[in-house]
Amino acid sequence: MEPNWQLARKQATIIKRARILEKIRAFFVEQGFTEVETPHRIPANAPELHIDPVASDGWFLQTSPELCMKRLLAAGYDKLFQICRCWRAGERGPHHLPEYTMLEWYRRDCDYYQLMEDCEQLILGLVNNKSWAWKGEKIDLNIPWPRLSVADAFSQHSSTLLSEVTDVNFFSELISTKIEPALPKNKPVFLVDFPVLQGSLARTKPHNPNQVERFELYIAGLELANGFSELTDPVEQRKRFEEEEMQRKAAGKPAGPFPDKYIKELQTLTKAAGIALGVDRLTMLLCGCETIDDVVCFTPEQL
Amino acid sequence: MYNCSDLKKGLKLMIDGDPHVIVQYDFTKPGKGQALYKCKLRNMISGALFDRTYRSGESFEPAHLEEREMQYLYQDDTGYVFMDKKNYEQIVLTDDTVGDDKYFLVDNMEVEILMHGERGIGISLPNFVNLRVTQTDPWVKGDTAAGNNKPATVETGYALQVPSFVEEGTLIQIDTRNGAYVTRVKE
């Protein structure tokens, strides 16, 4: 029998992927970050309307390591990073796997502006060049990368103004169909300052209680990272989680247990910021691969 | 009933009373937003193509179509000709009906034809077909890395990536569900 060529053909990319992981670790270690490992299987994830966790023997597989990592911050740790697996039920497409690799990093006494600079430095270091190409499109990496507010993006690319959007599903529909396709492909862009309904763990803007200090990094139209200044008010956090749970119930989705320890310990956290970046998608960009299938050893269909 | 997570290229659904087939499928989901299941559908009766976007929570009625075992004979100006091996009755499927399935049809191949009354409206291909490579670059001596690939074209005109050791004239097995190379076939 001939070796499985659909596995064999990915070998060069898998070798590059291993180098990328090494370089990501080196970048954070160099800057004084500590790599941590928190459990993949947890009693409760942060409730989110559109993220469905996978049940595991009475608990759940993590949809993100954020709750455990922020509990460490609240306990006094600083500058943490983790590279780990996350699971999200039913997500499968050219840019989605139900099990995928996430990079998250957290800083105390910082806000989301620092995280945007971290993204610029991390990715510039990985590319080792001021420009590169993906899907035939040249990408200009000169910093600072443009920052576009969600409100401005809506006035530029949608016939609906952000102020007119009250429904969360309508908001995400416009993001998918109007905003994302209109974002520049030839340079990275930070989409910043989301409505409060779209950032249940993020801190509100100092002068605008309807918006949160949250950003999404897009490169070549690919959504790569989501970062924010962390909400540290336990009362407000409980309220936001309850709102998400209510929306889940209204959508006919099962309610999960509440992450009570997280909410309780949040009161010992002051200022902090954290971010999640999709390692598989970053690898797609860096290796010139067009689908996420090409950058992992096995897709679910290959198991 | 199907739900959104069942949607994929090739799935057949009943919509407004007519059978439809998904000819293109894409899944998008902004991190915190809802998933969108974008489908290009073909009405299997009228041939009309159109785009539909579905959201989680929607469900779909499967299209149960009568299948007839037939043999593919040949292609001519009228389209693709198939024959029922029991009664020798012949039917013709148009180019539009056959679509990309034409790349996986070889003479005398046995397939299931999906019927609407007396009319053939689609093909149910076997999961794997064997096709001969008609064009590819020669194997470079010394290129022994198992993962190296190169473009190739098979007898039906279908182009795909194959391992570097596959040569012209080789019979290869292709997975019709994703169009990918599986292995060389021993003859």
Side-chain angles (χ1 to χ4, degrees), chain B residues 24 26 47 57 89 92-93 96 148 186:
Chain B
Q24 260 176 45
D26 193 15
E89 192 185 318
V92 180
L93 264 57
D96 284 346
N148 284 0
K186 275 205 184 112

Side-chain angles (χ1 to χ4, degrees), chain A residues 152-279:
Chain A
D152 285 348
F154 273 67
S155 31
Q156 284 170 24
H157 304 302
S158 156
S159 52
T160 315
L161 289 175
L162 179 61
S163 53
E164 297 164 354
V165 182
T166 48
D167 178 76
V168 280
N169 284 341
F170 187 48
F171 175 85
S172 79
E173 188 111 10
L174 289 174
I175 288 278
S176 282
T177 57
K178 304 284 181 211
I179 309 300
E180 285 185 354
L183 292 175
K185 302 272 188 292
N186 61 349
K187 55 189 161 201
V189 59
F190 293 110
L191 197 59
V192 301
D193 299 340
F194 281 69
V196 68
L197 287 169
Q198 283 275 317
S200 77
L201 292 107
R203 187 175 78 189
T204 48
K205 299 275 289 178
H207 307 295
N208 186 347
N210 296 320
Q211 282 182 11
V212 289
E213 294 188 344
R214 172 184 161 211
F215 70 90
E216 293 257 8
L217 168 62
Y218 286 87
I219 299 185
L222 198 60
E223 180 195 354
L224 204 61
N226 170 39
F228 41 85
S229 308
E230 300 287 351
L231 175 63
T232 54
D233 174 351
V235 178
E236 173 70 12
Q237 185 66 81
R238 178 172 287 279
K239 199 177 120 228
R240 297 229 202 129
F241 279 170
E242 281 166 358
E243 278 164 13
E244 291 279 345
E245 280 293 6
M246 264 161 51
Q247 288 180 346
R248 282 185 67 83
K249 268 188 206 146
K253 294 183 172 195
F258 240 59
D260 288 312
K261 281 185 187 153
Y262 169 77
I263 296 173
K264 187 167 164 234
E265 291 169 19
L266 204 53
Q267 55 192 307
T268 63
L269 181 60
T270 51
K271 204 178 167 191
I275 175 168
L277 183 151
V279 172

Side-chain angles (χ1 to χ4, degrees), chain B residues 66-185:
Chain B
E66 187 203 339
E67 295 189 349
R68 268 169 78 178
E69 241 177 75
M70 295 221 175
Q71 187 174 32
Y72 171 59
L73 297 181
Y74 56 86
Q75 186 206 359
D76 66 14
D77 292 344
T78 60
Y80 294 80
V81 183
F82 297 83
M83 182 185 69
D84 190 323
K85 280 175 85 176
K86 282 186 218 116
N87 57 15
Y88 306 105
E89 192 185 318
Q90 290 189 8
I91 62 158
V92 180
L93 264 57
T94 63
D95 284 1
D96 284 346
T97 304
V98 174
D100 286 346
D101 288 349
K102 69 178 178 198
Y103 291 124
F104 304 123
L105 285 176
V106 278
D107 292 358
N108 303 320
M109 186 169 135
E110 306 215 341
V111 293
E112 302 283 344
I113 298 295
L114 306 168
M115 303 300 292
H116 181 255
E118 289 304 300
R119 226 179 103 200
I121 56 168
I123 304 173
S124 179
L125 287 171
N127 289 343
F128 299 100
V129 294
N130 296 337
L131 293 169
R132 198 168 299 283
V133 175
T134 50
Q135 197 281 316
T136 191
D137 289 339
W139 184 39
V140 181
K141 276 260 162 62
D143 180 5
T144 52
N148 284 0
N149 60 30
K150 61 179 181 180
T153 307
V154 294
E155 56 192 304
T156 56
Y158 178 64
L160 77 168
Q161 291 286 318
V162 299
S164 53
F165 52 72
V166 169
E167 306 200 63
E168 280 185 14
T170 307
L171 192 63
I172 61 170
Q173 188 181 66
I174 296 175
D175 187 329
T176 60
R177 292 162 296 186
N178 58 16
Y181 169 89
V182 181
T183 184
R184 285 173 294 185
V185 179

Side-chain angles (χ1 to χ4, degrees), chain A residues 173, chain B residues 7 13-16 20 22 24-26 36-42 49-55 58 60:
Chain A
E173 188 111 10
Chain B
L7 297 175
L13 314 167
M14 288 303 281
I15 300 171
D16 304 328
H20 286 70
I22 300 175
Q24 260 176 45
Y25 169 74
D26 193 15
L36 298 181
Y37 303 82
K38 297 180 183 171
C39 298
K40 189 182 277 297
L41 292 149
R42 185 164 53 78
L49 280 170
F50 57 96
D51 295 309
R52 278 269 174 97
T53 299
Y54 298 106
R55 289 152 195 84
E58 297 192 65
F60 311 91

Side-chain angles (χ1 to χ4, degrees), chain A residues 45-54 60-64 66 86-91 96-98 100 102 104 169 198 200-201 214 216 223 226 228 244-245 247-248 251 253-256 276, chain B residues 27 29-35 56:
Chain A
N45 281 288
E48 297 230 26
L49 172 58
H50 289 302
I51 298 179
D52 298 324
V54 176
F60 296 92
L61 299 178
Q62 65 182 358
T63 57
S64 155
E66 60 193 336
C86 294
W87 289 262
R88 296 183 179 187
E91 299 194 5
H96 290 84
L97 284 167
Y100 64 101
M102 193 90 106
E104 296 210 358
N169 284 341
Q198 283 275 317
S200 77
L201 292 107
R214 172 184 161 211
E216 293 257 8
E223 180 195 354
N226 170 39
F228 41 85
E244 291 279 345
E245 280 293 6
Q247 288 180 346
R248 282 185 67 83
K253 294 183 172 195
Chain B
F27 172 91
K29 184 179 189 294
K32 305 271 175 199
Q34 69 173 334
S56 312

